[in-house]
Amino acid sequence: MQTPTFEESAKAYLSDTQLRRNIGHATHTIRDKRQTVVDEMPDWEVLREAGSSLKNRIMRHLDEYLLQLEESVRQAGGQVHWARDAGEANRIIVDLVKEQQVEEVVKVKSITTDEIKLNRALAEEGVRALETDLAELIVQLAGDEPSHILVPAIHKNRAEIRELFRKKLNQGELSDRPEDLAEAARLYLRKKFLSAKVGISGANFAVADTGTVAVVESEGNGRMCTTLPETLITVMGIEKLIPTWRDFEVFMQLLPRSSTAERMNPYNSFWTGVTEGDGPQEFHLVLLDNGRTNVLADEVGRQTLNCIRCSACLNVCPVYERTGGHAYHSVYPGPIGAILTPQLRGLEDEGAASLPYASTLCGACYEVCPVKINIPDVLVHLRGKIVDRKKRAGGLNAKSDPEYIGMRLMARAFKSRSRYERAQKMARVGQKFFVKDGTISKLPGELSGWTAMRDLKPIPNQTFREWWGDRDE
Amino acid sequence: MHISLFITCFNDTLFPETGRAMVRLLERLGHTVEFPLEQTCCGQMHYNTGYQEETIPLVRRFVEVFGQAEAIVAPSASCVGMVKEFYHNVADRSGDPELMEQVEAVVPRVFELSQFLVEELGVEDVGAYYPHRVTYHPTCHSLRVLHVGEAPLILLRNVRGIDLVELPAAQECCGFGGTFAVKNADTSMAMLGDKIRHIKDTGAEVCAAADNSCLMHIGGALNRQRSGVEPVHLAEILASTEEN
Ligand code: SF4
């Protein structure tokens, strides 16, 4: 499959003024709030270090921890299913749902289910998957795609949501006050919660030694979905493990402050298998690979799996802030998406392979990441893999690629002093065609991107080394 | 002290005035400055764009040229960041244990100019005079790779005659990002637009920074807009005196 490249898509989104305003405003607000609640923690850096070490340990022994989790969940009365890819996961879930003979299921917000396109797979079998997170519901009603991993409707403002609810929820009179909008959704959803027989969720964490699964959220819809239905199906990427219950100590401090800028999430739901007479009586845990073991196999890329999906990196990213999430053509946008998507999807996909270049390497993401994923390092590592692939493909493709030609010529020049000095002189002579009134305002080919909006100063008549040589004499 | 100037290919070719300013400044402070002529490029552009194999010979060249130097100082936070933070990655990739050792040995002696002055030499007032309204843009690599912190601002505050004004949203990236500025020109420009707006809001006539690469990008738009604001490298401000 080929998705469009980031640079192509970004153009359109950059000129969407409403989107620019909505996302710019939202990311700045949450960015500042996060900073405030992080600054009140004297041991924040130690916590980050702990989070990163724990996750690194899990990735080193993932095979063992996964088997331990499977055993723990079974012991507690749950059932575990292994899914190699999206197709397998969907088949497992569709079968489980059909066994219950229902036409509708309620869902807790889960990016993993978006990743495997579960709702579509269910719809094809005549089952309607109802999103119960307010923002996910908005996106679903609008027939849109999420654009942020925590705030899927971040690209929409109140006026747009009011219009949508008026149309889709048959609300005649409705103000655009947040309380009224939430109330309209609440009334609509309440009925559904009470009648649903099957709930589907993702997972923030699963504890290997107890089999406990955890979902943290703000609205309470997750609590409803995981407690009211008779059957609960949880889909989880295989990297979401933590070794012991005690490790929540670290992650329950890191996650809420980094994601919603709260000291604690309003709703923290934990369940361990099934409990007789209390909550769902059937629990299925679907463990999803879908490319994750490939990520694990790459020593530099592996840290990508440490991600706890807090979205702090999106909120500080100067690129995401301006293009929004849809330009990334993935359920994982922003900096984490730029490293995760190409690794999950593979570099053959041109769109995915354009993502590691959708960054200035400014490092803002690395600075805030609660589990210290060195995103710039992984971005550059992936760029290296992309170029290596291009070289291996060889042939005309590589030979006619202007960037490749330029890079090779420059690498050659930099290898010897005399060639380098000759290249400096040639550039000085060559630029004569483009200098006008002491400025370069128009360049051809690949470089026209620069001069489309920026001038360039001509190369001065004397290089530094020439000056140094004259001075020495 | 014997200081070896790591001028960077970018400054050597495009911004020689910055290098001349560094020589004036360091000599004024009583140091001996050397310029090893065999130096070319640190390899940052190749490395960051994904041409990592091509970077290996450039790393080799760097350790050969500067291996014996007492202190290696550059007017570029991003090139110094390349050497200090990423050379060991390149050396690892080469699989050559000798290169890994040489990199280990040279890295602690490589410095960005402002960090060198404040943290290594303990100089906060370089005796400069610059009677202009200046705003300072802290580049991403100086802030988040090298962690130079307040060093450039400490130096600027002690410049006589200067009217130093704070840049709003200073820590936000200007949108340069090397080949990003060309590959993702539209997004780059959207970022630059906001940076320019903040610079203009300060009413400054000069925008200073520790990297001429970011300044070339910022200055390119300032010039296109005939904004009346000039990009000037930090070294040039610090080198200015009443006589010169
Ligand atoms: S990469 Fe780090 S900052 Fe970004 S979502 Fe994941 S955990 Fe959060």
Side-chain angles (χ1 to χ4, degrees):
Chain A
M1 193 186 74
Q2 293 288 336
T3 43
T5 62
F6 181 84
E7 47 276 22
E8 275 312 311
S9 314
K11 274 187 201 154
Y13 292 111
L14 284 168
S15 47
D16 183 338
T17 50
Q18 180 76 68
L19 176 126
R20 290 283 294 274
R21 160 101 193 122
N22 293 355
I23 298 199
H25 177 72
T27 52
H28 276 268
T29 310
I30 192 159
R31 190 185 295 183
D32 296 345
K33 278 198 194 150
R34 176 204 157 269
Q35 197 60 51
T36 313
V37 293
V38 162
D39 286 347
E40 52 183 45
M41 300 287 281
D43 59 346
W44 184 252
E45 286 310 311
V46 184
L47 276 171
R48 284 178 80 211
E49 194 55 51
S52 152
S53 311
L54 277 167
K55 280 288 186 180
N56 286 340
R57 172 143 57 86
I58 294 157
M59 296 318 153
R60 270 199 308 277
H61 307 289
L62 190 58
D63 50 344
E64 293 159 32
Y65 282 124
L66 278 169
L67 292 174
Q68 195 190 0
L69 175 74
E70 178 181 38
E71 187 53 33
S72 311
V73 171
R74 287 212 173 122
Q75 291 278 339
Q79 296 178 46
V80 178
H81 311 262
W82 299 85
R84 188 170 296 132
D85 54 27
E88 266 188 33
N90 285 334
R91 214 164 315 127
I92 293 166
I93 300 163
V94 166
D95 286 348
L96 288 170
V97 171
K98 282 171 78 179
E99 252 171 56
Q100 303 299 325
Q101 298 179 323
V102 293
E103 277 166 16
E104 191 165 83
V105 298
V106 286
K107 280 186 70 200
V108 191
K109 182 175 110 55
S110 146
I111 326 166
T112 315
T113 60
D114 291 339
E115 176 189 326
I116 60 176
K117 301 205 165 53
L118 175 63
N119 293 4
R120 202 170 69 189
L122 285 167
E124 279 164 11
E125 298 289 332
V127 178
R128 185 162 174 253
L130 182 74
E131 296 293 349
T132 64
D133 170 89
L134 179 56
E136 281 280 358
L137 176 69
I138 293 166
V139 169
Q140 187 176 44
L141 289 175
D144 203 350
E145 302 276 337
S147 66
H148 187 282
I149 59 182
L150 193 78
V151 203
I154 196 169
H155 55 293
K156 294 216 180 305
N157 67 11
R158 282 192 274 156
E160 290 169 296
I161 295 165
R162 168 174 171 245
E163 267 320 294
L164 182 70
F165 279 9
R166 277 225 295 229
K167 277 198 210 108
K168 300 278 169 137
L169 300 184
N170 290 326
Q171 293 278 341
E173 285 305 308
L174 186 65
S175 84
D176 67 352
R177 282 176 41 214
E179 306 85 68
D180 293 345
L181 295 173
E183 183 63 12
R186 188 177 291 124
L187 292 173
Y188 171 71
L189 289 171
R190 187 61 47 107
K191 290 192 279 265
K192 305 284 183 182
F193 286 131
L194 292 172
S195 59
K197 292 215 159 24
V198 178
I200 296 182
S201 84
N204 289 101
F205 304 100
V207 186
D209 77 342
T210 62
T212 310
V213 177
V215 163
V216 302
E217 36 124 14
S218 304
E219 297 169 15
N221 64 305
R223 175 69 54 83
M224 304 259 210
C225 289
T226 55
T227 53
L228 291 174
E230 285 152 27
T231 301
L232 173 61
I233 305 169
T234 298
V235 194
M236 183 186 109
I238 52 171
E239 79 283 19
K240 291 285 176 67
L241 279 169
I242 60 174
T244 67
W245 179 269
R246 173 137 194 215
D247 303 320
F248 276 127
E249 175 188 356
V250 173
F251 293 107
M252 286 307 198
Q253 295 189 75
L254 287 174
L255 182 54
R257 284 176 200 260
S258 301
S259 57
T260 43
E262 289 167 306
R263 297 184 181 93
M264 190 182 162
N265 289 99
Y267 293 88
N268 300 277
S269 304
F270 303 85
W271 64 96
T272 309
V274 292
T275 308
E276 219 185 292
D278 184 13
Q281 294 302 297
E282 222 185 293
F283 171 56
H284 298 271
L285 180 63
V286 182
L287 294 171
L288 175 75
D289 181 339
N290 208 26
R292 286 164 176 77
T293 42
N294 295 338
V295 186
L296 191 67
D298 180 327
E299 279 181 39
V300 180
R302 179 178 301 167
Q303 54 185 310
T304 313
L305 297 178
N306 294 4
C307 174
I308 55 173
R309 308 278 189 270
C310 72
S311 75
C313 58
L314 276 67
N315 300 329
V316 296
C317 179
V319 173
Y320 175 87
E321 175 194 333
R322 291 174 176 86
T323 64
H326 291 154
Y328 293 79
H329 292 286
S330 162
V331 295
Y332 304 107
I336 178 60
I339 58 173
L340 183 58
T341 306
Q343 294 188 83
L344 288 181
R345 221 180 260 169
L347 302 172
E348 309 77 59
D349 175 2
E350 250 180 69
S354 72
L355 293 176
Y357 292 94
S359 163
T360 61
L361 307 176
C362 81
C365 47
Y366 180 30
E367 201 173 49
V368 297
C369 178
V371 287
K372 295 182 88 165
I373 301 173
N374 192 334
I375 297 175
D377 225 14
V378 179
L379 286 168
V380 172
H381 171 72
L382 294 174
R383 292 178 184 184
K385 286 185 128 180
I386 291 162
V387 170
D388 288 348
R389 244 188 119 250
K390 195 152 72 176
K391 285 184 193 160
R392 269 199 311 277
L396 204 66
N397 217 342
K399 279 196 201 116
S400 62
D401 183 279
E403 179 191 286
Y404 187 46
I405 296 168
M407 288 289 170
R408 278 198 29 200
L409 282 175
M410 275 190 273
R412 233 177 89 79
F414 291 145
K415 267 192 270 188
S416 112
R417 176 179 161 191
S418 56
R419 270 204 297 265
Y420 165 70
E421 289 175 354
R422 221 167 26 241
Q424 285 183 315
K425 289 198 184 82
M426 270 163 56
R428 202 155 61 198
V429 175
Q431 71 170 349
K432 297 244 157 70
F433 298 104
F434 307 107
V435 182
K436 226 181 126 210
D437 300 331
T439 300
I440 299 172
S441 306
K442 212 167 174 196
L443 283 171
E446 299 284 300
L447 295 173
S448 61
W450 181 277
T451 46
M453 295 162 274
R454 286 157 290 214
D455 287 338
L456 205 56
K457 271 204 170 147
I459 303 171
N461 286 329
Q462 193 184 38
T463 61
F464 175 80
R465 57 180 57 232
E466 285 165 347
W467 172 80
W468 182 268
D470 288 353
R471 173 184 127 120
D472 257 8
E473 271 155 22
Chain B
M1 194 182 269
H2 262 279
I3 296 166
S4 293
L5 200 57
F6 160 32
I7 189 72
T8 77
C9 63
F10 194 80
N11 287 313
D12 182 12
T13 315
L14 300 172
F15 298 93
E17 177 48 31
T18 300
R20 294 197 288 269
M22 258 184 88
V23 175
R24 279 203 304 278
L25 171 66
L26 293 170
E27 287 182 346
R28 193 173 77 216
L29 295 173
H31 303 282
T32 315
V33 181
E34 287 168 16
F35 180 69
L37 282 156
E38 285 297 316
Q39 64 180 286
T40 58
C41 167
C42 68
Q44 182 185 195
M45 182 180 65
H46 284 90
Y47 181 75
N48 281 350
T49 315
Y51 293 80
Q52 282 141 18
E53 210 53 42
E54 284 78 357
T55 319
I56 299 172
L58 302 178
V59 172
R60 263 186 220 294
R61 190 174 184 89
F62 187 93
V63 296
E64 273 160 29
V65 173
F66 291 107
Q68 303 308 318
E70 190 182 346
I72 304 141
V73 183
S76 161
S78 71
C79 300
V80 172
M82 170 69 198
V83 175
K84 287 182 103 73
E85 291 298 316
F86 305 109
Y87 263 27
H88 66 95
N89 288 356
V90 183
D92 281 353
R93 186 179 170 124
S94 78
D96 174 355
E98 203 188 321
L99 186 61
M100 294 180 207
E101 259 172 52
Q102 288 168 320
V103 165
E104 282 298 304
V106 83
V107 157
R109 284 176 281 134
V110 183
F111 304 96
E112 179 277 329
L113 176 67
S114 66
Q115 214 169 15
F116 178 70
L117 291 172
V118 175
E119 287 170 24
E120 285 301 305
L121 300 181
V123 180
E124 298 197 342
D125 183 349
V126 296
Y129 172 75
Y130 197 74
H132 300 283
R133 189 173 170 94
V134 177
T135 194
Y136 176 76
H137 164 61
T139 62
C140 297
H141 288 181
S142 70
L143 266 185
R144 287 179 282 262
V145 177
L146 290 183
H147 305 283
V148 304
E150 284 278 288
L153 286 167
I154 292 173
L155 292 163
L156 284 173
R157 278 186 209 119
N158 285 317
V159 170
R160 267 164 282 291
I162 199 168
D163 175 12
L164 188 64
V165 276
E166 198 183 321
L167 180 65
Q171 307 209 341
E172 276 179 34
C173 179
C174 70
F176 172 61
T179 39
F180 176 86
V182 177
K183 267 188 204 287
N184 279 287
D186 298 270
T187 311
S188 169
M189 205 50 216
M191 292 161 72
L192 179 55
D194 290 334
K195 183 59 72 182
I196 298 293
R197 177 166 50 86
H198 291 310
I199 293 172
K200 286 203 215 158
D201 280 349
T202 65
E205 61 204 279
V206 166
C207 174
D211 282 275
N212 270 330
S213 47
C214 306
L215 280 179
M216 179 171 87
H217 166 76
I218 294 171
L222 288 172
N223 194 53
R224 176 68 56 91
Q225 297 179 14
R226 308 296 187 261
S227 65
V229 189
E230 188 71 20
V232 177
H233 192 280
L234 177 69
E236 293 170 38
I237 296 178
L238 299 180
S240 303
T241 54
E242 246 164 292
E243 303 77 51
N244 203 329

